[in-house]
Structure formats: C-alpha cells, structure tokens
Amino acid sequence: MRMTTLLTPTLKKEPAGWQDPGAIRLLRGGYALDLHHGEWSLLPLGALLRDNVAWTFIHAFMDGGFQQLEDLLYRKEGIQLLAQRVVQSYRDLPLRVMELRGGRLLLSGIEASSSEECQKNLLYFIENLLENMALSGVKIEDATLGKEGAYIALHAEEEFAASSEGVECPSCGWHGTTHAHAGETKPFRTEEESSVQEVFTPGAESIDALCSYLEVSSEQTIKTMFYMAEVNGVFQPVTVLIRGDRQISERKLLVSLGATEVRIAEEKELIEIMGQKPGFLGPVGLPDKLLVIADSSVEGCKGVVTGANRPEYHLTGVTWGRDFKTERVADIALLEEGMDCPHCGSALRKYLWNGVAAVWGEPEDALETLYQDQSGSSQKCALWKGWIHLDSIITALARQKTYPLGLAPFDVDIIVPSIKDETAMELATNLYHEMVHQGVVALFDDRNERAGAKFADFELFGIPAKVVVGRKAAEGIVEVQYGEEVKEMQACHVTCFLSSLLNDDDTQL
Ligand SMILES: [Zn+2]
C-alpha cells in the first residue's frame, strides 16, 4: 500500500490520560484514535494488526476442528439453538465453534461427556499461540470458572489502567485471581477448654477495635455478615461467617449459593431480620429459619470471639459444634497477599494481571439438548465457553519494539529519503511492485516528507523490516534492516530475502 493513500495520523507527543505503554504506542503510531476517557477506535493499521492476530487464532482453531460462526454465539441462547438443530447423536460431538465479535474471539464447545479435558487442552493451546507471538501468558485460576476453567493473563505493571489484582506463589509459580480456591484452612483453636462468656465491649464495632479492646488477634474472632442473595428470582437473607482476618469473596459466595446476585444487607433489612444494627452480631442463637453459610476458616473453631447479638457486647470462648454450627460450609474467602498458596502452602504475594483469554465450564444443566450414545440411550451434553480478548493482545504486542512478522500490518516499509531523487523513486516503485507481486506485504512511503519524519514514523509503526532506497540507487543498491541487522544488497535480491524470512518457521507465525 502507498503511504499517501493510508490514514495514519501519528502523534509527535504522548497522548494525555493514558498509562499503558502499549496503548500509548498504538495511539502515537496512528493505529488507533483516542476517544478519551480510556477508549479508542482502531484505524486502518490497528484493524489490520487485530485481524492478523484474530486470523492466527482462527486458523489454528480451524486446524483443531473448530467451526467459524457469525452473529450466533454472542446471543444468550445462540449455542442452544445450534445444538437443537445439529446435535442428535454421539457422531455429532464434539461440536466446537468460534465467532469474532467486537474485539473478541468467542469460543464455545459441546462435548459428549465431561468438558474438563477440553478446557485444559484449550488453555494450554492458547498459551502456546501467545508464546509464538512472543507474549508469555500465565494461567490464572479462579474458583468461579469451574474446576478446570481459568484465565490466561499477561503480567501487568502497577500503572496499567486495565489490570486486575490477583495473587502468585513465589515458590511453586501458581497464579490465582482473588477469587481462586483457598488452600486447606485451619480454624483458630485455643489449647484449653473455655466456656462462653458475655463481655462488655463498648464501641468495638469493627474487628480492629474489638481486637485491641480484648487484646486478641483477628484470627481468634469470627465476623458475622448479612447478605441478601437472589436465588430463583427471590431475594433472601443469608448470614455469612468468616474468620476475622479474612475477607469474603462475593463472587465465590454467589457461586456457592447458586445465586444470580448477592449484596450486603441494608441496615433497615438487618433491623427487620435481627432487630439490631451491625457491629455486635454473632452466630450463637441465630433464628432457626435463617440460611447460614460459614467459610472453611470457621468450621471446627474453638475459644473464639463473636458478636453477642446484643449492642455493645461480644462472646468469648465460643466453640464450633458446642455453641453453634452451620450446615453449609464453603470456601468463600478472598485470596490476599500473605495467605497460604493452595498448592504448596508458601505465602502468596500480590500479582497484577491483564486477562487476554478465559475458558470455563458451564453448569451441568446449561444445555437442554440430549444426544443418543452408541447404545442408543439419551445422554446429557457438557458445555464450555471462552473468549480471547484481541485488543488486550494487540496492546501487549505494541509494547514491543516491532510487531512480529506475520502479525504486523506490513512486513516491510520502503522509504525513499527524497522523492525528488528520480532514480531512487523509480527503483523503489519497481521494488514495491515486485513485492506486491510476490506476496510480501509492503508499505511504500511515497510522501513528500523529510527523511527524518519518515524514519520516525517507521519506528512508531513497528513494522519488522525497512528498505531504504537512497544514494546508491544508481548502482541498484539499497539498505535493508531487519531486527538489529542492517545490510546493503542489490535491490533485485531484496524480495527474495524478505520472502525467505516470511517462510522461516522461526520468524513467521
Ligand atoms: Zn505455591
């Protein structure tokens, strides 16, 4: 393509209000238009880059038997409609599909039995494809994505706007979101037996205030929280118990309750349920009809401090099984720095990440369609879903000096420092036509601009190769740059040289 016909409004200065160096590069390089407030719209170069990334995934998935769809998967019932139409027998399975939709590649699959193996393989496959793009993705576990479901993420710096907080284990390399499964949790237990005592704790409405008043550690306390959970379309109160040093993961709570929404109960709702405000509530003597769920850190506790369900009072010496007990115990704690790694038990540390892909298993009854197995009996299908976030991937690619060959919008930039040099222009034009003919995707900078401006734009574009047609044009010699390598060669050899790079497995995706 000729530069004079391409819309590339490059910026001399960094755009204001952006932190991510990849996003800044895309905006400066004329790949995207700044819509402000953290939004952009892709311009031709950006659209080409994203298409190349998308098609790298699409081709790889097609080789793996995926079918490409349009305007179906994004609909809530899309996969259901497809299954009803095309899934009858075990011969129709597995059915794996994908669809490009607004900067994402949506993925879904219907499997004959469990989908766990497929989820695991797919995550591994995506990690490998990212590695081929010189991006190192890591698997980030999350309890709300099912047993094998996970995110694939790229490490994010503190200043990146779009990053999420998670945890990593410095010993075994495990990564999780703050909603990942917590490891085995031991409840707090005192050595000696103790009986329940009601103690006056004026003003001790928070765990911190209570701990300093009674001189106990937060581990020795139990927090009692009231939530409203929407289950089967109806909101009902739920009492949630957790060790005082831990926080509740509302997402894990939601999944554990099978709810569609959970929120902290409002003060007036709490007064209606318990007859009092928060601050001194506890698990001992709760009304029978209340649904109570305890985090694993509470089950089996001994000699702990809880609210007394009486303003300004707490109970000490409270013991699980003797003074209270809940039928429902689940892992609903938020994972935080300093907690134990669920794999090896080492102390976790904070990790900032940026999700580029996710794969998860849908609940067992998500798909109504049944299929006939080999013996002719009806069986349930297993459904999984996923997505790949293409915009996050191109942002990550833009942090590198050049885009990888095969993903970059152009393989090579042909630059003539002075278009008044007719010999050089003629040689460059011929070279450009030859490249187009041979399938090398070339950008021909034919603008009447200073050489410096053209070289600066080349740096901003991140195109992997550059050909400068200048002072030795009369001898048919040009300068070729690829990566760190710069060499002079006869113009007639350039296309062949670039084609060989394109066909080399190490440089080509
Ligand atoms: Zn570990």
Side-chain angles (χ1 to χ4, degrees), residues 3 8-12 28-29 413-419 443 445-463 466 468:
M3 189 75 183
T8 53
T10 52
L11 302 174
K12 286 205 174 64
R28 281 201 66 198
D413 189 5
I414 303 171
I415 296 174
V416 181
S418 166
I419 65 162
L443 178 66
D445 196 342
D446 56 350
R447 293 174 299 169
N448 186 13
E449 279 278 355
R450 288 181 302 111
K454 294 182 180 183
F455 291 133
D457 278 352
F458 166 76
E459 296 292 327
L460 280 175
F461 292 156
I463 296 172
K466 175 174 78 177
V468 182

Side-chain angles (χ1 to χ4, degrees), residues 18 65 91 105 117 124 133 154 171 175 187 197 242 248 267 276 300 383 386-387 400 409 425 461 466 469 489 494 504:
W18 294 83
R91 290 187 206 90
L105 183 64
E117 196 61 27
Y124 181 69
M133 297 178 184
L154 301 173
S171 300
H175 288 80
Q197 306 257 334
I242 194 162
I248 293 165
E267 200 168 287
Q276 62 169 300
L383 178 67
W387 48 256
Q400 304 169 3
M425 271 307 273
F461 292 156
K466 175 174 78 177
V469 186
M489 62 170 81
V494 174
D504 182 348

Side-chain angles (χ1 to χ4, degrees), residues 51-81:
D51 283 352
N52 288 345
V53 171
W55 280 95
T56 303
F57 282 105
I58 290 172
H59 283 304
F61 285 134
M62 268 158 107
D63 287 343
F66 277 66
Q67 316 291 325
Q68 201 189 356
L69 302 174
E70 201 177 297
D71 288 344
L72 186 75
L73 278 189
Y74 83 96
R75 294 170 203 269
K76 200 163 168 274
E77 302 300 325
I79 192 80
Q80 187 87 28
L81 290 168

